[in-house]
Amino acid sequence: MVTLSVDNTRCQGHARCLAFAPEVFDFDDEGYAFVPEDKQIWDELPEDVKQAVANCPERAIVVSESSPS
Ligand code: SF4
């Protein structure tokens, strides 16, 4: 299982994540990215989300993998 989130202490709000995966990332009123609750847990990340993670210049997108218990 994979958990996806944005570290809002690192995010600079330049929206590259949104360009790669607009269906997954959203922006708050202050212009910083976040992952809505219903998009936080995945069996496997879609390719466009992997691209967003790889292309975030601040390394602000956090991917945590855990094996099913
Ligand atoms: S690309 Fe990274 S730093 Fe930029 S808005 Fe998205 S999460 Fe934030």
Side-chain angles (χ1 to χ4, degrees):
M1 211 166 71
V2 184
T3 309
L4 185 69
S5 63
V6 172
D7 179 347
N8 59 11
T9 66
R10 301 184 79 140
C11 178
Q12 296 297 315
H14 32 53
R16 289 183 75 165
C17 51
L18 193 73
F20 281 96
E23 78 287 7
V24 171
F25 294 94
D26 208 342
F27 275 75
D28 66 18
D29 292 343
E30 277 148 23
Y32 295 106
F34 70 97
V35 180
E37 218 168 305
D38 64 338
K39 300 284 167 69
Q40 290 175 1
I41 309 232
W42 300 84
D43 288 332
E44 196 182 334
L45 287 181
E47 201 52 43
D48 59 351
V49 176
K50 289 183 188 169
Q51 291 286 320
V53 173
N55 283 280
C56 172
E58 311 301 328
R59 297 274 177 263
I61 305 172
V62 182
V63 176
S64 315
E65 286 193 44
S66 58
S67 33
S69 50

